[in-house]
């Protein structure tokens, strides 16, 4: 029933409580963009003082909380941490013991070497989270565009965010939050497609590392 309630609120673009696990550039930029859209934000990370600094940077009514309080304070959890710190962050948030059970969990993590584009894991970060975060309804999304790009509000770049997940309500909730960022969504399948999405991020990084624009390496269907 709670998930249905959240779905209605997302479609009506009314306020949701978004908990962001992470204190880096992506977490900060997404927090600023969603706060600007009128959502309530709570921030947590491995360092609560650092989360406080991010909350202050975002401004408004955004609050920092201890990681073990994030789930209780949130309708939706967004994970925006480096791959190397993912397990520690999930443990601090009590994800392995069911803190995220029944919640939509949006994963922005890339298990990718930023310098080479090579994947660092035999499975996707999203599937890894689904295995660890007992009962979470994981959606892979928002891992491809740089964080600061979400703060561009002049309509000069129309983005399509590819997402995947196994729960239709969570996909709809995620799509609603992405609309509030000024983008559209393309649902490409279940969570077993997350590896494919993360591989795309690796491809983009590799093309950038070669000194080229990834947009010129993908055929236009227009």
């Amino acid at each position: 029933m709670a998930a249905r309630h959240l779905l209605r609120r997302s479609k009506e673009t009314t306020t949701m409580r978004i908990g962001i696990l992470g204190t880096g550039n992506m977490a900060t930029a997404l927090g600023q963009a969603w706060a600007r859209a009128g959502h309530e934000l709570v921030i947590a990370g491995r360092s609560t003082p650092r989360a406080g600094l991010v909350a202050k940077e975002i401004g408004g009514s955004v609050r920092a909380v201890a990681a073990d309080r994030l789930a209780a304070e949130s309708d939706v959890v967004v994970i925006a941490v480096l791959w190397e710190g993912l397990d520690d962050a999930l443990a601090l948030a009590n994800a392995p013991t069911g803190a995220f059970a029944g919640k939509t969990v949006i994963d922005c993590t890339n298990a990718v070497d930023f310098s080479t584009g090579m994947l660092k894991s035999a499975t996707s970060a999203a599937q890894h989270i689904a295995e660890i975060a007992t009962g979470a309804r994981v959606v892979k999304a928002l891992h491809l565009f740089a964080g600061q790009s979400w703060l561009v509000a002049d309509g000069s770049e129309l983005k399509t965010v590819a997402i995947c997940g196994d729960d239709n309500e969570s996909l709809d909730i995620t799509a609603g939050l992405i609309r509030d960022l000024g983008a559209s969504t393309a649902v490409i399948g279940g969570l077993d497609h997350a590896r494919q999405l993360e591989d795309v991020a690796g491809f983009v990084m590799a093309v950038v590392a070669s000194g080229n624009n990834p947009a010129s390496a993908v055929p236009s269907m227009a």
Side-chain angles (χ1 to χ4, degrees), residues 49-66:
R50 168 63 183 164
L53 292 175
V54 172
K56 184 177 180 180
E57 181 178 350
I58 295 172
S61 61
V62 178
R63 297 181 293 114
V65 297

Side-chain angles (χ1 to χ4, degrees), residues 200-219:
V200 171
F203 165 76
V204 168
M205 292 173 193
V207 173
V208 170
S210 75
N212 293 280
N213 185 343
S216 67
V218 179

Side-chain angles (χ1 to χ4, degrees), residues 6-216:
L6 290 176
L7 180 60
R8 287 199 300 271
R9 294 205 300 170
S10 173
K11 286 184 175 179
E12 294 168 2
T13 64
T14 56
T15 302
M16 297 185 71
R17 298 183 305 161
I18 305 172
I20 300 181
L21 184 60
T23 56
N25 292 335
M26 176 64 84
T28 303
L30 287 175
Q32 289 174 322
W34 276 321
R36 187 172 59 196
H39 294 290
E40 297 178 10
L41 274 294
V42 291
I43 308 293
R46 286 181 289 177
S47 165
T48 302
R50 168 63 183 164
L53 292 175
V54 172
K56 184 177 180 180
E57 181 178 350
I58 295 172
S61 61
V62 178
R63 297 181 293 114
V65 297
D68 62 0
R69 290 293 306 159
L70 184 70
E73 299 275 354
S74 309
D75 298 325
V76 176
V77 174
V78 177
I79 298 177
V81 301
L82 293 175
W83 167 253
E84 289 77 9
L86 178 59
D87 284 356
D88 286 346
L90 291 173
L92 287 172
N94 291 333
T97 56
F100 293 173
K103 291 186 180 292
T104 296
V105 175
I106 301 172
D107 168 45
C108 309
T109 307
N110 279 315
V112 175
D113 185 313
F114 294 123
S115 62
T116 66
M118 296 298 293
L119 297 176
K120 292 184 173 182
S121 171
T123 187
S124 69
Q127 289 169 304
H128 183 70
I129 292 169
E131 291 173 359
I132 292 178
T134 305
R137 304 184 300 167
V138 180
V139 176
K140 186 73 189 184
L142 297 168
H143 72 298
L144 193 55
F145 293 97
Q148 292 301 312
S149 69
W150 295 113
L151 300 178
V152 177
D154 61 3
S156 60
E157 182 183 2
L158 299 178
K159 302 180 183 67
T160 299
V161 178
I163 69 175
C164 65
D166 295 330
D167 183 85
N168 287 334
E169 289 181 328
S170 291
L171 289 169
D172 283 342
I173 290 168
T174 302
L177 292 177
I178 290 171
R179 284 196 299 271
D180 290 342
L181 294 173
S184 61
T185 56
V187 179
I188 67 166
L191 201 62
D192 55 350
H193 283 268
R195 173 78 175 196
Q196 180 183 25
L197 289 184
E198 292 177 23
D199 213 357
V200 171
F203 165 76
V204 168
M205 292 173 193
V207 173
V208 170
S210 75
N212 293 280
N213 185 343
S216 67

